[in-house]
């Protein structure tokens, strides 16, 4: 199962959701891979901490090798890095991805990630984090994924962006990946006592959009989780947000 977490809007929790779902998957004994396609490398930093700074092979090196047509280049498995958490590995990002994307797009390399992941048969689940834009890397992720998970942060700007986002996904489905399925919209930063989130969620459902019945609450604890490079189930498994991430994972894998 390959699941891409995608939204063209920034700050909606893509990296946080991808990493915490991957951590839960791994904690339950499934061999799990997180692919970080965002040049900001937040997901890689979240799972590797300071160890990210010492990585000699990242996705930037992987794509660089593709552009160089190296006959004896490294196999995709050689770019996979183990995290401190059992069963959880990462294909780490690198700021150099930003400068590579124009060359990669001009040479139409959007299928190379799918080809690489096809060789990594030892993993039960793959979670793909994406940058906040519809560019080469997000298209590559949508082309190779089975399902798409869309974070929504209960904001009117996010609400307006959903129309464009759904059109982008449908375009990828039509032109590149007919098997791609929108798994649902994840409501993030939810405040049950506030009127705006309730209204926005009701509007999304009234329009027939697939809002998942597992909301993620707003919590300052997630910042501590980022700072310590510990997904919530490892930082505080009894916390409300940890239980909400587990409920979301259970809903997705039911």
């Amino acid at each position: 199962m390959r699941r891409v977490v995608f939204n063209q809007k920034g700050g909606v929790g893509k990296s946080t959701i991808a990493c915490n779902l991957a951590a839960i998957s791994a904690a339950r004994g499934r061999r799990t891979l997180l692919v970080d396609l965002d040049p900001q490398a937040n997901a890689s930093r979240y799972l590797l901490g300071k160890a990210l700074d010492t990585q000699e092979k990242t996705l930037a090196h992987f794509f660089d090798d593709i552009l160089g047509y190296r006959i004896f280049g490294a196999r995709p498995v050689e770019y996979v890095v183990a995290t401190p958490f059992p069963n959880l590995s990462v294909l780490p990002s690198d700021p150099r991805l930003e400068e590579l994307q124009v060359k990669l797009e001009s040479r139409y390399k959007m299928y190379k990630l799918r080809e690489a992941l096809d060789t990594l048969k030892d993993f039960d689940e793959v979670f793909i984090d994406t940058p906040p834009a519809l560019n080469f890397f997000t298209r590559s992720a949508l082309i190779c994924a089975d399902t798409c998970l869309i974070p929504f942060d209960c904001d009117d700007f996010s609400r307006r962006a959903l129309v464009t986002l759904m059109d982008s996904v449908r375009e990828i489905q039509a032109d590149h990946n007919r098997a791609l399925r929108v798994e649902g919209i994840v409501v993030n930063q939810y405040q049950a006592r506030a009127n705006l989130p309730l209204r926005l969620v009701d509007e999304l459902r009234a329009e027939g959009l697939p809002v998942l019945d597992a909301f993620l609450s707003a919590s300052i604890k997630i910042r501590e989780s980022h700072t310590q490079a510990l997904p919530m189930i490892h930082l505080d498994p009894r916390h409300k947000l940890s239980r909400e991430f587990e409920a979301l994972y259970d809903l997705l894998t039911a």
Side-chain angles (χ1 to χ4, degrees), residues 194-216:
N195 289 328
L196 179 62
L198 291 170
R199 177 176 65 79
L200 289 174
V201 169
D202 286 345
E203 287 178 0
L204 295 181
R205 285 179 166 156
E207 292 177 17
L209 292 170
V211 179
L212 294 172
D213 292 323
F215 296 176
L216 301 174

Side-chain angles (χ1 to χ4, degrees), residues 180-246:
L180 178 65
R181 176 172 59 88
V182 176
E183 203 163 15
I185 295 170
V186 180
V187 178
N188 191 27
Q189 300 289 323
Y190 186 68
Q191 296 173 302
R193 297 181 182 179
N195 289 328
L196 179 62
L198 291 170
R199 177 176 65 79
L200 289 174
V201 169
D202 286 345
E203 287 178 0
L204 295 181
R205 285 179 166 156
E207 292 177 17
L209 292 170
V211 179
L212 294 172
D213 292 323
F215 296 176
L216 301 174
S217 300
S219 174
I220 194 68
K221 196 74 173 179
I222 200 66
R223 296 186 183 179
E224 184 181 342
S225 174
H226 294 159
T227 301
Q228 296 192 30
L230 288 171
M232 285 299 300
I233 59 164
H234 297 292
L235 177 68
D236 187 350
R238 296 184 179 180
H239 193 274
K240 177 185 178 182
L241 189 53
S242 301
R243 296 197 301 270
E244 289 173 347
F245 275 119
E246 291 196 277

Side-chain angles (χ1 to χ4, degrees), residues 5-177:
V5 183
F6 168 60
N7 194 319
Q8 293 164 229
K9 184 177 181 294
V12 296
K14 291 186 298 294
S15 300
T16 297
I17 291 170
C19 289
N20 277 278
L21 290 177
I24 292 167
S25 171
R28 296 192 180 182
R30 297 184 60 78
R31 297 163 299 179
T32 306
L33 176 67
L34 188 287
V35 181
D36 186 2
L37 289 172
D38 189 345
Q40 296 178 81
N42 290 331
S44 302
R45 180 72 62 184
Y46 196 0
L47 297 182
L48 294 174
K50 293 181 180 179
L52 175 62
D53 298 328
T54 61
Q55 297 308 313
E56 296 181 357
K57 288 186 181 295
T58 67
L59 278 171
H61 296 96
F62 166 74
F63 285 114
D64 211 14
D65 284 349
I66 288 173
L67 289 170
Y69 295 102
R70 292 179 175 86
I71 298 175
F72 300 107
R75 295 173 298 140
V77 70
E78 295 179 50
Y79 298 92
V80 175
V81 178
T83 73
F85 314 106
N87 299 318
L88 182 55
S89 299
V90 60
L91 276 171
S93 184
D94 178 320
R96 287 198 309 115
L97 285 177
E98 190 78 49
E99 63 192 59
L100 289 172
Q101 71 169 309
V102 174
K103 293 180 181 178
L104 288 163
E105 193 151 25
S106 67
R107 299 188 191 180
Y108 208 70
K109 302 294 185 180
M110 286 192 299
Y111 291 88
K112 291 300 181 181
L113 180 64
R114 185 166 74 181
E115 292 173 9
L117 293 182
D118 284 345
T119 71
L120 301 177
K121 301 184 183 299
D122 290 338
F123 293 102
D124 301 309
E125 292 196 57
V126 178
F127 292 85
I128 308 172
D129 187 30
T130 54
L134 184 64
N135 59 17
F136 169 85
F137 297 113
T138 49
R139 288 189 178 95
S140 294
L142 291 165
I143 284 170
C144 73
D146 299 304
T147 66
C148 176
L149 202 59
I150 302 169
F152 174 74
D153 64 351
C154 292
D155 173 85
D156 196 52
F157 292 137
S158 295
R159 164 74 185 80
R160 295 172 188 274
L162 277 177
V163 175
T164 304
L165 186 152
M166 296 299 288
D167 285 343
S168 299
V169 172
R170 281 191 283 267
E171 181 183 355
I172 294 292
Q173 288 173 320
D175 295 342
H176 303 287
N177 184 2

